[in-house]
Amino acid sequence: MTDEQERVQPSGVWATSVGVARVRALESEREDALFRDPLARAFAAAGGLWPSSPPPDDEAARRRRLAVSFSIVIRTRFLDDLLQQACASGVRQVVLLGAGMDSRAFRMDWPQGTRLFEVDTAAPLDFKASVLRQERAVAHCERTTVAVDLREDWPRALAAAGHDPAAPTVWIAEGLLIYLPEDAVELLLARISTQSAPGSRMGLTLGSRGVLERFAADAAPGSAASMWVSEMPDDPVDWLAGHGWEAASHTLHERAAAYGRPISTPPQHEERPGGLISAIRR
Ligand SMILES: C[S@@+](CC[C@H](N)C(=O)[O-])C[C@H]1O[C@@H](n2cnc3c(N)ncnc32)[C@H](O)[C@@H]1O
């Protein structure tokens, strides 16, 4: 059987990662793209999301889809920049938690000696591997996948895959924490922190306050928003300080304006800071 015939189709929470790829593929086609992700389209197509479906007729659903796509584009660029800054500071270990169809190992330039770990469950990593084979993709760094559920003992699996907690790491949790209940988020943060040597860095995206009510409450069954369960704490900077991190928080709108992509309509709700987090371990 060919890769295509054997490929497991997206389902449950990991299907959301293929939806993210669809958004990145659309962004990559723009002349003024904030990043280019040449593999995104192949991931979306393999998951049946390309060509991209037309926007929903329902105005509220259309607005929600636009808002989610916008946030994915801005956060991708934010974390690309954060990773470049981490490399410039000398960090050579990268861990993508809930990596999904993240193709940064293939689309970014990495300093020599960079080791990048992609952590997710087995099904999305298998799906991804089959698309990468089909596309003959070649990583620009030493890339290792770690198939483990992040609610289990993932630090042990990561260490077994070669991660060195004595050397600084840059951690990315992009579009992940919103799918984990608060106690699992807390445990994840505590575990990241014990694996982080001084000089480590972290980039997080957090569900803004009120997002569950505005999006998840009337989300279509099986949609990404229907699986959202957690929002950011009241004061994310203070929360991270408690875990030993010096953090800064940014809003989507502020970052979007900085990237020359301000949204044309004013936000329909007050956007509190804290959706996008950068942090350094002292
Ligand atoms: C919205 S996708 C984001 C993927 C990727 N970070 C990106 O931005 O392209 C969420 C990802 O988190 C992963 N995920 C959610 N819960 C997880 C868990 N308990 N253990 C491991 N991965 C998980 C899913 O499999 C999925 O790939």
Side-chain angles (χ1 to χ4, degrees), residues 78-79 82 202-206 236 240 247-250 274-279:
F78 172 74
L79 295 171
L82 184 145
M202 187 162 63
L204 305 178
T205 66
L206 302 171
L240 287 164
S249 67
H250 308 268
L276 302 171
I277 304 287
S278 61

Side-chain angles (χ1 to χ4, degrees), residues 59-79:
E59 176 61 13
R62 198 181 64 81
R63 275 178 163 279
R64 282 198 298 268
R65 178 157 147 181
L66 273 177
V68 171
S69 301
F70 180 76
S71 73
I72 289 170
V73 169
I74 301 302
R75 81 183 195 206
T76 302
R77 169 62 185 271
F78 172 74
L79 295 171

Side-chain angles (χ1 to χ4, degrees), residues 81-152:
D81 290 354
L82 184 145
L83 284 163
Q84 276 174 354
Q85 287 153 13
C87 289
S89 79
V91 177
R92 294 290 179 270
Q93 284 191 123
V94 182
V95 179
L96 307 176
L97 295 165
M101 302 305 126
D102 184 317
S103 70
R104 290 189 173 98
F106 302 87
R107 68 176 176 82
M108 288 180 62
D109 292 328
W110 298 98
Q112 204 167 9
T114 303
R115 299 162 73 225
L116 180 148
F117 300 88
E118 295 185 5
V119 184
D120 210 308
T121 50
L125 291 177
D126 288 349
F127 173 91
K128 187 175 192 173
S130 82
V131 176
L132 293 173
R133 274 196 301 274
Q134 170 197 297
E135 298 300 307
R136 297 187 161 76
V138 178
H140 299 166
C141 56
E142 189 187 319
R143 170 180 178 263
T144 305
T145 56
V146 185
V148 65
D149 191 303
L150 287 163
R151 292 164 299 188
E152 289 164 10

Side-chain angles (χ1 to χ4, degrees), residues 10 14-26 43-44 49 69 72 101 224:
W14 77 266
T16 61
S17 67
V18 183
V20 172
R22 182 190 69 84
V23 174
R24 294 199 180 117
L26 287 169
F43 291 130
L49 296 186
S69 301
I72 289 170
M101 302 305 126

Side-chain angles (χ1 to χ4, degrees), residues 15 29 32 43 55 78 89 102-103 116 120 122 160 187 223 230 243 264-265:
E29 290 190 337
D32 63 347
F43 291 130
F78 172 74
S89 79
D102 184 317
S103 70
L116 180 148
D120 210 308
L187 179 60
S223 65
S230 74
H243 282 279
S264 42
T265 51

